[in-house]
mmCIF file of all heavy atoms in Angstrom:
data_model
loop_
_atom_site.group_PDB
_atom_site.id
_atom_site.type_symbol
_atom_site.label_atom_id
_atom_site.label_comp_id
_atom_site.label_asym_id
_atom_site.label_seq_id
_atom_site.Cartn_x
_atom_site.Cartn_y
_atom_site.Cartn_z
ATOM 1 N N GLY B 29 -7.214 13.199 10.904
ATOM 2 C CA GLY B 29 -7.255 12.855 9.619
ATOM 3 C C GLY B 29 -8.442 11.989 9.298
ATOM 4 O O GLY B 29 -9.148 12.141 8.191
ATOM 5 N N THR B 30 -8.751 11.099 10.216
ATOM 6 C CA THR B 30 -9.914 10.147 10.005
ATOM 7 C C THR B 30 -11.140 10.929 10.017
ATOM 8 O O THR B 30 -12.227 10.739 9.317
ATOM 9 C CB THR B 30 -9.984 9.044 11.061
ATOM 10 O OG1 THR B 30 -8.761 8.345 10.951
ATOM 11 C CG2 THR B 30 -11.196 8.180 10.825
ATOM 12 N N GLN B 31 -11.232 11.879 10.891
ATOM 13 C CA GLN B 31 -12.405 12.750 10.972
ATOM 14 C C GLN B 31 -12.682 13.623 9.807
ATOM 15 O O GLN B 31 -13.810 13.742 9.288
ATOM 16 C CB GLN B 31 -12.305 13.733 12.292
ATOM 17 C CG GLN B 31 -12.294 12.983 13.626
ATOM 18 C CD GLN B 31 -12.145 13.827 14.700
ATOM 19 O OE1 GLN B 31 -12.916 14.809 14.899
ATOM 20 N NE2 GLN B 31 -11.165 13.585 15.647
ATOM 21 N N VAL B 32 -11.542 14.127 9.315
ATOM 22 C CA VAL B 32 -11.718 14.976 8.130
ATOM 23 C C VAL B 32 -12.125 14.000 6.914
ATOM 24 O O VAL B 32 -13.007 14.286 6.086
ATOM 25 C CB VAL B 32 -10.404 15.617 7.711
ATOM 26 C CG1 VAL B 32 -10.459 16.266 6.346
ATOM 27 C CG2 VAL B 32 -9.958 16.620 8.732
ATOM 28 N N TYR B 33 -11.621 12.853 6.868
ATOM 29 C CA TYR B 33 -12.023 11.804 5.861
ATOM 30 C C TYR B 33 -13.414 11.564 5.929
ATOM 31 O O TYR B 33 -14.158 11.538 4.924
ATOM 32 C CB TYR B 33 -11.191 10.539 6.025
ATOM 33 C CG TYR B 33 -11.561 9.472 5.113
ATOM 34 C CD1 TYR B 33 -11.060 9.290 3.832
ATOM 35 C CD2 TYR B 33 -12.340 8.385 5.632
ATOM 36 C CE1 TYR B 33 -11.501 8.292 2.971
ATOM 37 C CE2 TYR B 33 -12.749 7.426 4.827
ATOM 38 C CZ TYR B 33 -12.311 7.307 3.575
ATOM 39 O OH TYR B 33 -12.650 6.315 2.677
ATOM 40 N N ASP B 34 -13.950 11.340 7.099
ATOM 41 C CA ASP B 34 -15.336 10.972 7.217
ATOM 42 C C ASP B 34 -16.279 12.212 6.859
ATOM 43 O O ASP B 34 -17.276 12.026 6.245
ATOM 44 C CB ASP B 34 -15.654 10.586 8.684
ATOM 45 C CG ASP B 34 -15.063 9.152 9.043
ATOM 46 O OD1 ASP B 34 -14.866 8.412 8.109
ATOM 47 O OD2 ASP B 34 -14.941 8.891 10.249
ATOM 48 N N ALA B 35 -15.822 13.410 7.251
ATOM 49 C CA ALA B 35 -16.573 14.516 6.856
ATOM 50 C C ALA B 35 -16.654 14.702 5.271
ATOM 51 O O ALA B 35 -17.812 14.919 4.829
ATOM 52 C CB ALA B 35 -15.973 15.743 7.443
ATOM 53 N N LEU B 36 -15.522 14.643 4.634
ATOM 54 C CA LEU B 36 -15.515 14.715 3.177
ATOM 55 C C LEU B 36 -16.316 13.599 2.549
ATOM 56 O O LEU B 36 -16.993 13.698 1.570
ATOM 57 C CB LEU B 36 -14.156 14.741 2.668
ATOM 58 C CG LEU B 36 -13.271 16.013 3.070
ATOM 59 C CD1 LEU B 36 -11.899 15.763 2.395
ATOM 60 C CD2 LEU B 36 -13.870 17.161 2.438
ATOM 61 N N ARG B 37 -16.122 12.399 3.256
ATOM 62 C CA ARG B 37 -16.893 11.245 2.682
ATOM 63 C C ARG B 37 -18.422 11.452 2.738
ATOM 64 O O ARG B 37 -19.128 11.162 1.715
ATOM 65 C CB ARG B 37 -16.521 10.030 3.546
ATOM 66 C CG ARG B 37 -16.810 8.667 3.119
ATOM 67 C CD ARG B 37 -16.068 7.711 3.986
ATOM 68 N NE ARG B 37 -16.460 6.380 3.632
ATOM 69 C CZ ARG B 37 -17.521 5.803 4.215
ATOM 70 N NH1 ARG B 37 -18.242 6.459 4.975
ATOM 71 N NH2 ARG B 37 -17.880 4.560 3.816
ATOM 72 N N ASP B 38 -18.935 12.005 3.815
ATOM 73 C CA ASP B 38 -20.262 12.219 3.906
ATOM 74 C C ASP B 38 -20.734 13.265 2.890
ATOM 75 O O ASP B 38 -21.886 13.200 2.301
ATOM 76 C CB ASP B 38 -20.663 12.653 5.371
ATOM 77 C CG ASP B 38 -20.625 11.592 6.416
ATOM 78 O OD1 ASP B 38 -20.546 10.436 5.990
ATOM 79 O OD2 ASP B 38 -20.645 11.876 7.636
ATOM 80 N N LEU B 39 -19.959 14.258 2.698
ATOM 81 C CA LEU B 39 -20.315 15.364 1.804
ATOM 82 C C LEU B 39 -20.417 14.743 0.428
ATOM 83 O O LEU B 39 -21.338 15.100 -0.377
ATOM 84 C CB LEU B 39 -19.245 16.501 1.775
ATOM 85 C CG LEU B 39 -19.223 17.357 3.088
ATOM 86 C CD1 LEU B 39 -18.158 18.398 3.036
ATOM 87 C CD2 LEU B 39 -20.572 18.056 3.242
ATOM 88 N N LEU B 40 -19.470 13.846 0.073
ATOM 89 C CA LEU B 40 -19.406 13.144 -1.177
ATOM 90 C C LEU B 40 -20.692 12.315 -1.433
ATOM 91 O O LEU B 40 -21.391 12.381 -2.493
ATOM 92 C CB LEU B 40 -18.195 12.420 -1.469
ATOM 93 C CG LEU B 40 -16.930 13.272 -1.798
ATOM 94 C CD1 LEU B 40 -15.614 12.420 -1.659
ATOM 95 C CD2 LEU B 40 -17.082 13.852 -3.186
ATOM 96 N N ILE B 41 -20.977 11.425 -0.494
ATOM 97 C CA ILE B 41 -22.078 10.509 -0.683
ATOM 98 C C ILE B 41 -23.346 11.295 -0.571
ATOM 99 O O ILE B 41 -24.258 10.947 -1.428
ATOM 100 C CB ILE B 41 -22.069 9.470 0.479
ATOM 101 C CG1 ILE B 41 -20.801 8.556 0.312
ATOM 102 C CG2 ILE B 41 -23.342 8.673 0.488
ATOM 103 C CD1 ILE B 41 -20.865 7.402 1.325
ATOM 104 N N ALA B 42 -23.439 12.318 0.178
ATOM 105 C CA ALA B 42 -24.704 13.171 0.136
ATOM 106 C C ALA B 42 -24.775 13.999 -1.101
ATOM 107 O O ALA B 42 -25.824 14.716 -1.250
ATOM 108 C CB ALA B 42 -24.698 13.967 1.433
#
Side-chain angles (χ1 to χ4, degrees):
Chain B
T30 301
Q31 296 179 51
V32 174
Y33 174 81
D34 288 338
L36 291 179
R37 195 166 171 277
D38 288 345
L39 290 177
L40 282 168
I41 290 188

